[in-house]
Amino acid sequence: MKLLIRHASNMKRRLACVGFAALIGLGGIGFGGEVDGDEVSSVPEIVDFNDHVRPIFNAHCTACHGGVKQAGDVSFVYKEQVLPPEGWIVEPGDPDSSILIERVLETDPDTRMPPPDHGPALSQSDIAILSRWVEQGAVWDASHWSYAAPKPRPIPDVSDSSWPRQPLDRFVLAKMVEHDLTPSEDATPERWLRRVSLDLTGLPPSLEQRSDFLVEYEEDAVAARENVVDRLLASDAFGERWASVWLDQIRYSDSKGLGLDGRRSVWKYRDWVIDSLNEDLPYDQFTIKQIAGDLLPNPTMEDLIATAAHRLTQSNEEGGTDDEEFRVAAVLDRVSTTWQTWMGVTFGCVQCHSHPYDPFRHEEFYQFAAFFNNTSDTDLDEDWPTIDAPIDCSDYARAEELDQQIRELRGQIWNLEFDQLKRADGWQPLTDMTAKTNKATQVDVERVDDHDEFFTVDTVSRNTDITLEAPLPATLEQLTAIRLTAKPLDPQSALNDSEWGFVLASFDAELVGGEGTETTRLSFRRVISDEMDPIYDPNASLDPKSSHGFAAYTRINHPREAAFLLDTPVEVPANARLRVTLKHRKFILAAFSLVTRRGHLAVSDNDAFVDLVNDDSISAMRKSLAELEKTRSKIRSVRIPVMQERPSHLRRPSHLFERGLFLTKGQEVRPGTPASLPPLAFDESSGDSDVPNRLTMAKWLVSPENPLTARVAVNRVWAQLFGTGIVASEEDFGSSGELPTHPELLDFLALRFQNEQAWSMKSMIREIVLSRTYAQSSMLSDESYRRDPQNQWLSRGPRHRLSSEVVRDQALALSGLLSREMHGEPVHPPIPDGVWKPFHGGDKWNVAKRGDDSRYRRSIYTYMKRSIPYPMFAAFDAPSREFCAPRRLRSNTPLQALMMLNDETFVECAVALADRMRSIGEDRREQLRHGFLIVTCREPSDADLADLQDLLESQPGVVDKEDESADPLVAVAAVLLNLDEVVMK
């Protein structure tokens, strides 16, 4: 194919050269048509691949020649497929011989690129850029700007050195001058105070705080601003305001999402985020704890709670679903969320194919997914694995101490037992086995190596009992233990595609005498399993009243083993047979019976098992463990889901999914990161594992070499403070996203955040809000609007609508209703009738009565149900948090005004604000002035007061005691809360 294309191209190459010469020379007619001299003259002297060439490829070429579709084996994403020695599209330094230039100059619609049905021909300017790039040697910088490490940037010299207050101001001012803009005047002290209070705490300043600030401002404006910012950063409200931003990224919700969308008790994680922000936990530690807190040495309670960040994936409680499908979906969602949240990259599309625009290959997605593929969780109603997190944080230290003692003691006991279980020389396999069941389930037996294995045939029935019988080895004089090995039905395929597992409700065994007439029921003391911390206690298999015990719940990849230890050794008569009954009473989602589908038995006469049962030291350890667990249970706690690794001997293999479908597995992959980014710092000799894990990956995210993490964090904060990020597409720092308006400033802030500020969020935010850039007035002049309509060059202060949470919290604060209680279970403020109709009838929305503080808690504590979002939040553009939401897109709809005028919470706020206005005295004008001052943080003008007076006088004069909203002053208060000046920053 390549040779044919080259041969066909030779016939037109001379004409193409004429067109190229005309294009980049003095002008004239070429294959691109008549050349606009001004357009071509705008081509930069030095063409940069990332700034000038890659955008042309992405806009016109990669749809057919990208990471997904690679027509003619050509991709403009990968250098090696374009440039020699492997590529053949471009001849560096020789545009005349480059097929790329020939094809974009072509006029024949059959050979022109792009083809007519894929878009118009390239402009003369674009062709000139490509031609000059080739002529200059076709230098291909494989790294998009964001994939190259931030560079130290010199602080620009500016003509007006008196304007900047912070180094960042110099970067901003230099860009303004470059675009013929001048800074706006500083905002008035009151405006700045309200702006910074809402930005840092999500709450307006009180009248007392306003008065104190204005007094200090008159004495020393700089010190006054610094004191306010330090006070706000130290406030508990800081964490509550900024937690909402983070919870959008990490898709926090109090419900499970799919199916019944039932409740999930995970609010302890939300509280951890609030506290971490208030304590200014360094962002690198904030990252590591959430991704791999469980893998840290001696993890604390907070470390484990933090890992709930990745247990916020949606799960499906619907009957008949395959929990492996939704477990895999959760793993892939963790990959996408990690990349969007920390790296600002649309890595999720690599699930099905190589990235259309960025140098991420299909297999690299699954290499990264392998970091998450070995966790113990699956798509279960129980949300296992979980921890018991003390409700009172003051109990954390005591709980951690007890948990550590329990873990160590449990580990010691298990290691002693497991060492004996896995000893191959201690077991004798059984052969000549027979098998039968009590149900329609069919079972058969076959010889495998040195033992017989039973296996089920076709489907299995609920409550199946499998009875196995086999002669005991002639050399066996006593019986001390029986080992059950439970396997997948197809052990080879299950390693890659897990099967439904099993739950052994009961393990009954009898010794049948040599003549077959006498039977001795065997009594067991203990069960040893191959897993230290299983979801079900294997010893429950010895309890006839239990429905669960030794298990592979709910899926099985590897053979599983358990040893059942007898109370006392039993003497084995000659020709004795062993009869074992495996009882199963567990099924899942009403459709899948968890039955042992294949397995075999072995027996032992080893006295070591007798010692395990009777050894005084082990018995003492078990007694101590029981006492510790009893003491721990007395600490009032809530159970929350966390991350936990499977043991290494039960590790899942990871595979590439062909076209993203988990049923079609391709090559096996090892945990890793994309080759186009800095490599993992992993030393196999430094740890217990020979495979990099989540902790390795978490450290890679915040390593100095990672080019994205610090940039994305800084950009997110900038977007919250200014309304738009330095990179407007917060969700996409890749080559299809927006270019940064101030790339030097972004690098400067990112490196400063990483190094001088030691990942301190508060230090970064403090520096930005004390800048002259942030302090500018948001007043808009005609000239400023003409030159910079979107304020991307920051020639005026930020002005945009407040977020849903801040709109509600501000109304509660202005009215005096806001409860400042922190933490705890989610609350249920009033919602409109008819909204709450959950699939699960037990999920109640119990609204607290008027006067109850929980009715007026901050919005961060409102119950978040994915299938029924809180109406006020939905109206004001808050995401439902099914998935990571890096950026909220603001809208302005009539529904928002209707919500603020009629919603029960806002009506109560208006009534309470009217009461505050009356409390100032009987003078109506003074009441109006006081109300205006409360909501806007500034004194009203005469015109403002006249408008309010007219509004008040237009209302009916009689107060209806049955309808508080009919009070004329309440109507005025409602209007005040709805002022554009109030709902905007």
Side-chain angles (χ1 to χ4, degrees):
M1 172 66 78
K2 296 176 184 177
L3 292 175
L4 288 173
I5 294 174
R6 283 179 170 175
H7 178 73
S9 299
N10 287 335
M11 300 296 293
K12 299 176 181 176
R13 216 163 248 159
R14 292 182 182 176
L15 292 175
C17 296
V18 175
F20 168 68
L23 182 67
I24 66 171
L26 299 176
I29 304 298
F31 283 109
E34 185 173 348
V35 179
D36 186 328
D38 291 338
E39 187 176 4
V40 175
S41 66
S42 66
V43 175
E45 283 297 321
I46 303 299
V47 176
D48 180 83
F49 177 77
N50 280 315
D51 290 346
H52 307 123
V53 177
R54 193 193 292 271
I56 298 174
F57 286 168
N58 285 348
H60 301 284
C61 307
T62 53
C64 297
H65 305 284
V68 182
K69 186 178 179 182
Q70 299 185 14
D73 294 327
V74 176
S75 169
F76 286 98
V77 173
Y78 305 108
K79 174 181 178 180
E80 61 271 18
Q81 292 181 245
V82 177
L83 300 180
E86 298 176 47
W88 48 277
I89 306 302
V90 167
E91 296 293 338
D94 190 358
D96 298 347
S97 301
S98 295
I99 292 174
L100 170 67
I101 304 303
E102 174 193 332
R103 288 305 188 89
V104 297
L105 283 169
E106 182 61 78
T107 56
D108 184 345
D110 290 335
T111 54
R112 191 202 86 192
M113 289 293 165
D117 56 348
H118 282 75
L122 266 60
S123 68
Q124 285 92 357
S125 176
D126 285 348
I127 296 173
I129 287 173
L130 294 177
S131 301
R132 184 162 288 170
W133 172 65
V134 175
E135 183 186 35
Q136 292 174 353
V139 177
W140 184 299
D141 182 359
S143 294
H144 179 57
W145 70 267
S146 64
Y147 303 140
K151 302 173 184 176
R153 304 288 188 167
I155 299 174
D157 291 326
V158 292
S159 56
D160 183 5
S161 59
S162 64
W163 188 78
R165 291 197 186 110
Q166 301 286 349
L168 70 89
D169 290 326
R170 291 180 175 269
F171 289 93
V172 173
L173 183 57
K175 279 289 183 183
M176 283 193 222
V177 171
E178 184 182 323
H179 291 84
D180 296 325
L181 290 163
T182 56
S184 297
E185 296 293 326
D186 283 0
T188 62
E190 298 97 323
R191 291 286 194 193
W192 180 88
L193 175 64
R194 180 174 181 272
R195 177 188 298 170
V196 76
S197 296
L198 291 170
D199 275 341
L200 266 57
T201 66
L203 299 175
S206 67
L207 294 182
E208 293 78 11
Q209 290 167 347
R210 173 184 178 274
S211 298
D212 293 344
F213 171 67
L214 292 179
V215 171
E216 290 184 33
Y217 191 87
E218 287 297 321
E219 298 175 359
D220 186 338
V222 173
R225 287 195 187 96
E226 291 177 348
N227 290 338
V228 165
V229 171
D230 291 339
R231 172 179 59 80
L232 294 172
L233 290 172
S235 167
D236 287 339
F238 172 83
E240 293 174 317
R241 182 265 187 269
W242 285 88
S244 288
V245 179
W246 185 255
L247 298 183
D248 276 0
Q249 316 295 320
I250 214 70
R251 62 316 187 212
Y252 173 85
S253 176
D254 296 301
S255 71
K256 298 180 180 180
L258 301 173
L260 299 176
D261 193 22
R263 291 191 176 232
R264 174 179 281 155
S265 179
V266 74
W267 53 267
K268 268 288 178 181
Y269 168 77
R270 174 249 289 153
D271 290 353
W272 176 85
V273 172
I274 293 171
D275 292 341
S276 297
L277 292 168
N278 279 332
E279 294 163 9
D280 200 19
L281 180 69
Y283 189 70
D284 58 342
Q285 294 303 308
F286 186 68
T287 296
I288 290 171
K289 289 175 185 292
Q290 291 182 83
I291 293 177
D294 58 310
L295 301 180
L296 291 170
N298 301 318
T300 65
M301 183 63 63
E302 287 93 340
D303 294 340
L304 297 176
I305 291 172
T307 66
H310 272 317
R311 294 302 310 282
L312 297 169
T313 46
Q314 298 185 80
S315 61
N316 197 337
E317 304 159 283
E318 186 179 1
T321 59
D322 184 344
D323 70 335
E324 176 66 3
E325 176 183 359
F326 289 95
R327 183 197 72 81
V328 170
V331 168
L332 303 188
D333 178 53
R334 287 165 192 159
V335 174
S336 299
T337 298
T338 298
W339 277 78
Q340 284 260 272
T341 299
W342 278 278
M343 306 275 277
V345 173
T346 55
F347 199 59
C349 62
V350 191
Q351 175 184 339
C352 299
H353 45 67
S354 293
H355 202 288
Y357 309 110
D358 293 320
F360 301 133
R361 297 186 182 274
H362 185 37
E363 60 270 18
E364 291 176 332
F365 180 90
Y366 294 97
Q367 290 170 358
F368 200 87
F371 286 117
F372 294 104
N373 195 40
N374 197 40
T375 56
S376 296
D377 58 281
T378 188
D379 191 59
L380 303 175
D381 291 352
E382 299 96 329
D383 266 340
W384 184 85
T386 61
I387 61 166
D388 291 329
I391 292 176
D392 189 340
C393 295
S394 64
D395 289 329
Y396 279 5
R398 177 61 178 150
E400 287 169 15
E401 181 184 357
L402 289 169
D403 289 344
Q404 179 66 21
Q405 293 175 12
I406 289 170
R407 275 195 301 270
E408 290 178 356
L409 196 52
R410 187 179 291 160
Q412 292 175 25
I413 296 171
W414 182 80
N415 283 325
L416 288 171
E417 295 177 336
F418 185 59
D419 285 346
Q420 200 61 42
L421 171 63
K422 66 184 181 182
R423 282 185 57 189
D425 60 351
W427 298 101
Q428 299 181 53
L430 297 187
T431 57
D432 299 325
M433 180 187 293
T434 61
K436 62 181 181 179
T437 71
N438 66 327
K439 294 283 184 177
T441 303
Q442 297 181 42
V443 65
D444 206 344
V445 176
E446 65 180 1
R447 176 63 59 88
V448 178
D449 297 329
D450 63 346
H451 60 269
D452 281 0
E453 290 188 0
F454 70 91
F455 60 95
T456 61
V457 181
D458 298 327
T459 58
V460 296
S461 303
R462 284 190 189 179
N463 301 332
T464 290
D465 296 346
I466 299 176
T467 300
L468 310 171
E469 190 168 328
L472 289 169
T475 58
L476 194 76
E477 296 182 356
Q478 66 173 3
L479 182 64
T480 60
I482 303 171
R483 185 185 68 189
L484 168 66
T485 301
K487 304 173 68 175
L489 191 60
D490 186 339
Q492 290 300 317
S493 66
L495 190 62
N496 298 326
D497 293 293
S498 66
E499 298 177 2
W500 285 105
F502 65 92
V503 178
L504 189 60
S506 178
F507 182 91
D508 296 336
E510 296 175 320
L511 200 61
V512 181
E515 301 300 324
T517 56
E518 296 182 5
T519 61
T520 302
R521 183 175 178 83
L522 301 178
S523 176
F524 298 96
R525 175 77 62 86
R526 185 160 182 81
V527 181
I528 302 172
S529 82
D530 56 4
E531 193 174 4
M532 189 178 80
D533 191 24
I535 184 170
Y536 293 139
D537 181 1
N539 287 282
S541 295
L542 305 181
D543 182 357
K545 297 180 180 179
S546 174
S547 63
H548 52 73
F550 173 54
Y553 185 70
T554 62
R555 311 292 297 194
I556 184 168
N557 295 87
H558 300 267
R560 303 296 307 278
E561 291 183 333
F564 296 79
L565 313 187
L566 276 73
D567 275 336
T568 56
V570 173
E571 192 173 322
V572 177
N575 301 321
R577 301 174 66 83
L578 178 67
R579 182 184 299 151
V580 170
T581 301
L582 311 177
K583 296 183 179 180
H584 307 90
R585 298 295 181 266
K586 195 78 174 175
F587 56 90
I588 191 168
L589 299 175
F592 306 107
S593 297
L594 301 181
V595 173
T596 310
R597 273 138 169 109
R598 176 180 285 273
H600 57 91
L601 298 172
V603 293
S604 177
D605 59 2
N606 196 326
D607 287 330
F609 292 113
V610 180
D611 296 337
L612 287 176
V613 171
N614 299 317
D615 186 273
D616 290 340
S617 62
I618 296 179
S619 298
M621 291 167 67
R622 293 194 186 109
K623 184 177 179 181
S624 296
L625 178 62
E627 291 173 353
L628 286 170
E629 290 173 338
K630 183 178 179 180
T631 303
R632 177 64 172 87
S633 67
K634 294 178 181 178
I635 298 177
R636 187 164 167 262
S637 302
V638 60
R639 186 158 292 175
I640 68 165
V642 295
M643 296 288 271
Q644 177 180 296
E645 288 291 281
R646 289 160 65 96
S648 58
H649 65 281
L650 297 179
R651 180 182 293 142
R652 297 185 185 95
S654 294
H655 292 263
L656 176 148
F657 297 164
E658 302 287 353
R659 298 183 180 273
L661 180 62
F662 85 104
L663 295 174
T664 55
K665 294 181 172 62
Q667 68 188 64
E668 187 170 346
V669 295
R670 175 186 172 91
T673 52
S676 56
L677 291 173
L680 285 169
F682 176 67
D683 181 3
E684 293 188 8
S685 65
S686 64
D688 297 331
S689 174
D690 60 349
V691 178
N693 57 22
R694 279 183 287 119
L695 184 57
T696 317
M697 180 265 287
K699 291 178 178 178
W700 172 80
L701 281 177
V702 293
S703 66
E705 294 76 24
N706 191 302
L708 285 162
T709 304
R711 280 177 172 145
V712 169
V714 166
N715 191 67
R716 180 179 300 130
V717 169
W718 192 274
Q720 288 296 315
L721 298 175
F722 289 95
T724 304
I726 298 173
V727 177
S729 53
E730 297 175 59
E731 70 285 356
D732 190 359
F733 272 57
S735 57
S736 58
E738 300 279 350
L739 292 173
T741 54
H742 299 72
E744 296 83 5
L745 173 60
L746 183 60
D747 279 7
F748 171 80
L749 292 174
L751 289 174
R752 186 162 172 76
F753 177 49
Q754 236 178 333
N755 301 323
E756 290 94 333
Q757 294 168 346
W759 296 99
S760 166
M761 292 287 290
K762 287 189 176 182
S763 296
M764 185 229 305
I765 292 171
R766 185 182 192 275
E767 186 167 299
I768 295 174
V769 298
L770 287 175
S771 69
R772 196 72 180 267
T773 304
Y774 180 82
Q776 293 177 100
S777 169
S778 59
M779 294 294 290
L780 180 63
S781 67
D782 292 340
E783 182 65 14
S784 176
Y785 183 73
R786 185 181 70 80
R787 291 182 178 275
D788 188 14
Q790 301 299 323
N791 197 28
Q792 60 178 331
W793 308 120
L794 302 166
S795 59
R796 55 187 180 272
R799 178 173 173 78
H800 55 267
R801 201 208 65 221
L802 300 171
S803 68
S804 57
E805 294 92 339
V806 177
V807 169
R808 179 177 176 273
D809 293 348
Q810 176 183 240
L812 289 169
L814 296 174
S815 65
L817 291 175
L818 181 67
S819 166
R820 300 309 301 269
E821 181 184 350
M822 293 183 66
H823 303 145
E825 296 185 49
V827 295
H828 305 82
I831 57 174
D833 292 339
V835 168
W836 193 254
K837 293 184 177 179
F839 293 112
H840 189 275
D843 193 4
K844 304 295 185 183
W845 189 278
N846 297 315
V847 179
K849 296 181 180 179
R850 286 198 177 195
D852 187 328
D853 274 358
S854 64
R855 187 181 177 99
Y856 312 112
R857 297 280 303 280
R858 288 201 67 170
S859 298
I860 188 75
Y861 302 112
T862 299
Y863 177 59
M864 276 291 298
K865 189 177 183 71
R866 285 170 164 140
S867 59
I868 313 177
Y870 184 59
M872 187 266 163
F873 294 171
F876 280 84
D877 310 315
S880 58
R881 293 185 177 157
E882 280 121 320
F883 304 101
C884 171
R887 174 169 54 150
R888 292 190 188 183
L889 299 177
R890 287 180 289 272
S891 68
N892 185 8
T893 68
L895 193 61
Q896 294 169 0
L898 289 170
M899 179 69 68
M900 291 196 67
L901 287 169
N902 298 285
D903 182 79
E904 188 172 351
T905 295
F906 288 100
V907 170
E908 285 186 62
C909 288
V911 171
L913 177 59
D915 290 340
R916 287 194 70 184
M917 294 163 67
R918 284 194 198 90
S919 68
I920 201 68
E922 297 296 326
D923 187 310
R924 281 297 199 187
R925 185 178 177 85
E926 185 60 23
Q927 289 176 352
L928 297 176
R929 186 200 72 81
H930 188 59
F932 189 91
L933 180 61
I934 288 172
V935 300
T936 66
C937 195
R938 70 173 176 88
E939 289 285 354
S941 66
D942 291 340
D944 293 328
L945 285 175
D947 289 340
L948 292 175
Q949 188 71 41
D950 290 344
L951 174 63
L952 183 65
E953 291 173 357
S954 70
Q955 302 300 309
V958 179
V959 176
D960 183 354
K961 293 183 179 180
E962 299 298 322
D963 183 5
E964 294 173 312
S965 62
D967 184 336
L969 203 57
V970 171
V972 173
V975 170
L976 288 172
L977 291 174
N978 278 270
L979 289 176
D980 182 71
E981 187 175 341
V982 174
V983 297
M984 301 283 286
K985 184 178 75 173

